[in-house]
Amino acid sequence: MASAPSHAGRIPAGSGDGAIRRLPARRDRHRNAVGEIARYLGAVSILLVGAVHAQQYYDAYFSVVPTIGTLFLLSFIGAGIAGVALLAPVRRLGRNLGDLILVLAALGAIGIAAGSLVSLLISEYTPLFGFMESGYRLAIVLAIVFDALATVFLGVFVLIVAPRLVRSR
């Protein structure tokens, strides 16, 4: 006598074209969940990068610093666009197109975060566009933390989603 659990995953005979449909493997579901968590945490992180740059541009008067001020404003705008794109329900446009948009937004956000982090670290030791940072005030510490988090989380997201995108082509 066969037990019920041994037959639970089968489709009854005569109920279709004879193909056996399988649910995604536990590992795939786990990877997808990790990817989605990384996507949302990365989106929040890049939005916080943008918020730090906006605060520095408007409240810390970096708007008057040539080149650096413009870069702070562009970072704020770019981080906002990438963050909103990462939070938007773009997969409603179709799984492949949605994943492509998300991967591109994640790569853009990684570029913003990594570029911001590298620029900040350079400006700590040598003048960058004629400007040099000194010390680690709260805004700098927050920028470093959020830049690093955005880069790591969105890197994980891209590593999980991009191969799936390539396989579907």
Side-chain angles (χ1 to χ4, degrees):
M1 176 183 263
S3 63
S6 67
H7 299 290
R10 291 186 175 172
I11 298 172
S15 66
D17 61 359
I20 297 177
R21 296 172 52 197
R22 299 179 66 193
L23 294 174
R26 173 178 272 172
R27 193 180 92 206
D28 289 341
R29 286 193 312 255
H30 177 72
R31 283 179 59 89
N32 289 339
V34 168
E36 288 304 294
I37 291 168
R39 168 187 161 197
Y40 289 113
L41 290 174
V44 170
S45 297
I46 197 65
L47 288 171
L48 290 170
V49 166
V52 169
H53 283 115
Q55 185 277 330
Q56 291 294 287
Y57 182 80
Y58 291 108
D59 293 342
Y61 305 107
F62 275 87
S63 60
V64 299
V65 179
T67 308
I68 297 294
T70 304
L71 291 173
F72 272 48
L73 181 61
L74 291 173
S75 176
F76 163 61
I77 293 168
I81 291 169
V84 167
L86 286 163
L87 294 174
V90 296
R91 286 193 176 127
R92 290 183 182 174
L93 300 171
R95 181 79 173 183
N96 288 339
L97 179 59
D99 281 349
L100 178 62
I101 292 168
L102 291 172
V103 166
L104 292 174
L107 291 172
I110 290 169
I112 292 167
S116 171
L117 183 60
V118 168
S119 298
L120 176 60
L121 295 176
I122 289 171
S123 73
E124 283 287 326
Y125 297 101
T126 184
L128 181 65
F129 302 114
F131 179 79
M132 189 167 175
E133 281 288 353
S134 61
Y136 286 96
R137 61 186 192 285
L138 179 60
I140 292 175
V141 172
L142 291 175
I144 291 170
V145 168
F146 297 137
D147 285 334
L149 288 174
T151 302
V152 169
F153 287 137
L154 294 173
V156 167
F157 172 72
V158 168
L159 288 174
I160 289 173
V161 175
R164 182 173 65 213
L165 222 135
V166 172
R167 280 192 306 264
S168 69
R169 299 251 172 232

